Amino acid sequence: MPKFFIKTYGCQMNERDSEQVAHSLITRGYERVESETQADVVLLNTCSVRDMADQKALGKMGMLGRMAKDRPHVVFGFLGCMAQARGESLLKNLPHLDLVVGTQKFHRVADYVEELVIRKREVAARIADPGHRRMDDLRFSTGPDYFGVVDVEREFGSQETIREQTLAPKQATAFVSIMQGCNMHCTFCIVPQTRGAERSRSIAEIVSEVQALVAHGVKEVTLLGQIVNLYGRLEFPKVDNKSAFVQLLGAVHEIDGLERLRFTSPHPIGFRDDLIDAFGRLPKLAEHIHLPLQSGSNRILRAMHRAYTAEKYVDLVRQIRKARQGVAITTDIIVGFPGETDDDYEQTRALVDEVQFDNAFVFRYSPRRDTPAAEMDEQIDESVKEKRNQDLLEVVNDTVRRSHERLVGQEVEVLCEGPSKTNSARLMGRTRTNKIVVFEGSDEFVGELVDLKIERANGFSLYGRSCTLSEVHSPLSAPQKISSLSVRQE
Ligand code: SF4
């Protein structure tokens, strides 16, 4: 059977979509390989959130053109957000590209691939024939539609199709896609165009997917949505003043054998009292929230169409920290949004310093086609963006370093995910606060909750020593563990 390689750019939702595609190919007998050089099918699942992500995927596919010449039977495909945004135009500049599939059609990829594998084998056989030496000649002689399959249509119910994945042995964590799309229309963001409008799966479907994952040994799930805390607001009514998202958290929390529950990414809008309360009463909710700030200037937040103020954001962080001691808060920040003055930037810097995030992803504003911000006057010079980016990173890095140093000597519970990416002789796991800890240990730790003592913090890396495999991890035991994880107090 053919071998496939899939490379994912961008966010965790893309990772999850890729796993769905991989699962659908594996169930048809295809073998997954770790390098494009061994593959008969090469798929790039793309991201469009910043121009650099677009360019990376385009550059990679361009380079694969060389492989297409040597191995004409190989099927090449673009999937995901950039495929959705650029559609058929991608085929024009990349003659070896066979497949362009958008964000609502991941479940169709296996069908298209099967068809293309057969076609490309025929092509390869014909190219081997001295009468048709060049693949480009063959393409044009058979008409422009001969290879290219493009499917970027909308599909009703597509949010229900990301629900299967092939689990690795002892896999302890998994992503679960609970909704698709976004209705917020932040002025810098291309997501509403690439992912469509908000559509949510039902609570029953999601619970049954998590139950199946837990039955296979998964101990931690991360619920994924573009604005995850607005899950179900269009489809499901509030019950007892609880939003559909909080109802979903409650239902997933009930699943026996699930140890940790995460979600990403919420919007400060919609992070209401019922969700804050959930952190006080659902101990499986892990102590980490990624809460995008984007800017600390109210003027810029308004221009971004982020419907909160810097003061409201800070107050929300305060309430969350009050509801759950030791919760780690990370964020996304854009510097150099059109019209951002030195004063606006200083407000962002001051807010970052005040909140003391556990980590922050700082991005230079990148204009995206057909978004309102791309058309705004006062675009900021790249050198200014770069300066602000570096400056803010220094503030963030300082905070992260100090918070890691405070962890030294503490006992933490990690969920061991497997070998460390930087040194496969060691293991890595994540704390409940989502910090990665590297430690020595044998295979028996993989997939298990492990108590570690943090011995060393080396810049951004934490190193620990195992105490023992954790014995009791009932929900009722979690709060005691949580209190021992409190690493940064106001
Ligand atoms: S909330 Fe804003 S930034 Fe987030 S996906 Fe929606 S439009 Fe984009």
Side-chain angles (χ1 to χ4, degrees):
M1 287 302 286
K3 296 176 175 154
F4 73 96
F5 169 77
I6 185 162
K7 180 173 175 63
T8 309
Y9 297 84
C11 66
Q12 288 152 326
M13 295 200 74
N14 275 17
E15 297 281 350
R16 179 65 193 92
D17 296 337
S18 291
E19 289 313 304
Q20 179 68 46
V21 170
H23 177 83
S24 61
L25 289 168
I26 290 165
T27 52
R28 292 180 191 216
Y30 286 58
E31 184 190 338
R32 188 173 191 167
V33 291
E34 295 305 318
S35 159
E36 65 262 28
T37 55
Q38 305 158 8
D40 308 296
V41 178
V42 178
L43 301 172
L44 305 185
N45 190 9
T46 59
C47 168
S48 253
V49 127
R50 277 172 292 284
D51 188 51
M52 200 195 289
D54 264 20
Q55 296 310 324
K56 266 191 193 167
L58 285 168
K60 175 83 180 170
M61 190 56 86
M63 276 163 44
L64 290 169
R66 263 182 265 142
M67 184 203 287
K69 286 206 163 59
D70 297 339
R71 304 176 66 219
H73 75 283
V74 176
V75 173
F76 295 95
F78 267 139
L79 316 177
C81 289
M82 188 184 70
Q84 184 72 43
R86 297 190 180 222
E88 198 176 345
S89 68
L90 288 164
L91 289 177
K92 291 197 182 101
N93 299 324
L94 294 160
H96 59 289
L97 183 64
D98 305 296
L99 181 62
V100 178
V101 178
T103 54
Q104 302 195 21
K105 299 288 184 171
F106 289 108
H107 56 295
R108 305 261 179 228
V109 170
D111 287 341
Y112 295 140
V113 163
E114 263 191 356
E115 191 184 316
L116 285 162
V117 163
I118 295 167
R119 282 206 228 165
K120 292 294 291 273
R121 280 182 177 161
E122 287 167 12
V123 167
R126 283 202 251 165
I127 286 174
D129 174 343
H132 286 289
R133 290 243 54 103
R134 292 183 58 230
M135 189 165 65
D136 291 358
D137 292 345
L138 189 71
R139 174 188 289 261
F140 294 121
S141 69
T142 50
D145 298 331
Y146 184 74
F147 297 114
V149 172
V150 179
D151 190 352
V152 291
E153 295 299 306
R154 288 187 193 165
E155 184 163 323
F156 180 77
S158 62
Q159 72 276 15
E160 302 284 359
T161 61
I162 309 296
R163 59 178 183 212
E164 293 152 322
Q165 53 192 306
T166 303
L167 297 175
K170 294 185 159 196
Q171 184 170 330
T173 70
F175 293 129
V176 175
S177 175
I178 66 168
M179 65 188 293
Q180 298 275 330
C182 178
N183 289 4
M184 298 301 278
H185 296 284
C186 301
T187 54
F188 54 82
C189 185
I190 199 170
V191 164
Q193 292 167 45
T194 58
R195 293 258 168 192
E198 277 170 52
R199 291 113 48 217
S200 297
R201 301 172 66 191
S202 71
I203 291 180
E205 285 256 350
I206 297 164
V207 166
S208 117
E209 181 178 337
V210 178
Q211 280 169 333
L213 290 168
V214 170
H216 276 90
V218 166
K219 292 187 170 61
E220 171 189 289
V221 294
T222 304
L223 306 180
L224 296 178
Q226 220 73 53
I227 30 167
V228 72
N229 54 326
L230 297 186
Y231 161 86
R233 65 174 172 156
L234 305 175
E235 292 93 348
F236 314 116
K238 283 189 170 181
V239 174
D240 296 336
N241 226 16
K242 291 190 186 79
S243 66
F245 182 59
V246 172
Q247 294 169 47
L248 173 67
L249 291 179
V252 173
H253 191 273
E254 292 284 296
I255 296 171
D256 277 344
L258 182 73
E259 303 280 356
R260 293 175 172 185
L261 177 55
R262 301 184 188 275
F263 58 83
T264 197
S265 288
H267 195 298
I269 291 298
F271 213 114
R272 298 191 195 284
D273 289 351
D274 59 337
L275 181 50
I276 296 169
D277 289 349
F279 276 88
R281 65 186 175 80
L282 302 178
K284 290 180 185 176
L285 270 178
E287 293 76 28
H288 171 232
I289 298 172
H290 185 73
L291 190 64
L293 164 68
Q294 309 302 9
S295 174
S297 153
N298 289 339
R299 202 176 68 80
I300 296 299
L301 285 171
R302 260 196 313 279
M304 289 176 163
H305 278 188
R306 304 283 294 182
Y308 51 87
T309 60
E311 294 75 17
K312 283 219 164 110
Y313 184 95
V314 173
D315 189 52
L316 178 57
V317 170
R318 189 188 54 74
Q319 289 183 59
I320 293 169
R321 284 179 173 160
K322 198 167 152 206
R324 180 64 74 80
Q325 193 189 11
V327 66
I329 304 220
T330 57
T331 197
D332 294 329
I333 296 163
I334 296 172
V335 292
F337 186 80
E340 185 188 69
T341 61
D342 284 345
D343 185 49
D344 292 317
Y345 170 68
E346 285 304 324
Q347 290 177 45
T348 300
R349 192 182 198 279
L351 192 151
V352 169
D353 204 28
E354 179 185 351
V355 169
Q356 297 276 294
F357 291 104
D358 288 77
N359 205 352
F361 299 94
V362 182
F363 303 103
R364 276 167 284 156
Y365 168 72
S366 165
R368 307 310 294 128
R369 211 169 30 162
D370 300 329
T371 58
E375 305 302 317
M376 287 177 183
D377 296 335
E378 300 182 86
Q379 297 288 328
I380 305 294
D381 199 83
E382 284 303 320
S383 62
V384 175
K385 290 182 194 171
E386 178 60 21
K387 201 164 144 240
R388 291 176 185 168
N389 189 351
Q390 289 310 324
D391 181 60
L392 198 55
L393 277 177
E394 273 178 35
V395 179
V396 171
N397 291 348
D398 237 36
T399 316
V400 174
R401 207 174 294 119
R402 273 185 275 124
S403 88
H404 278 189
E405 277 161 12
R406 279 196 293 270
L407 267 174
V408 175
Q410 294 205 31
E411 266 190 37
V412 297
E413 173 206 272
V414 301
L415 181 53
C416 179
E417 294 179 16
S420 155
K421 289 203 171 78
T422 49
N423 179 351
S424 58
R426 292 184 295 192
L427 299 171
M428 61 76 66
R430 279 173 208 270
T431 65
R432 291 179 60 95
T433 51
N434 211 30
K435 295 179 196 297
I436 292 176
V437 187
V438 174
F439 61 105
E440 309 274 344
S442 61
D443 263 6
E444 72 174 312
F445 290 110
V446 177
E448 300 296 333
L449 291 161
V450 185
D451 287 333
L452 297 179
K453 181 153 188 189
I454 302 295
E455 295 195 308
R456 192 158 55 90
N458 182 2
F460 303 102
S461 308
L462 290 168
Y463 299 89
R465 182 170 48 82
S466 68
C467 306
T468 167
L469 281 176
S470 295
E471 283 155 16
V472 183
H473 292 289
S474 74
L476 290 176
S477 72
Q480 285 91 52
K481 287 185 174 297
I482 291 160
S483 60
S484 74
L485 288 178
S486 174
V487 293
R488 188 205 53 243
Q489 304 304 322
E490 288 151 278

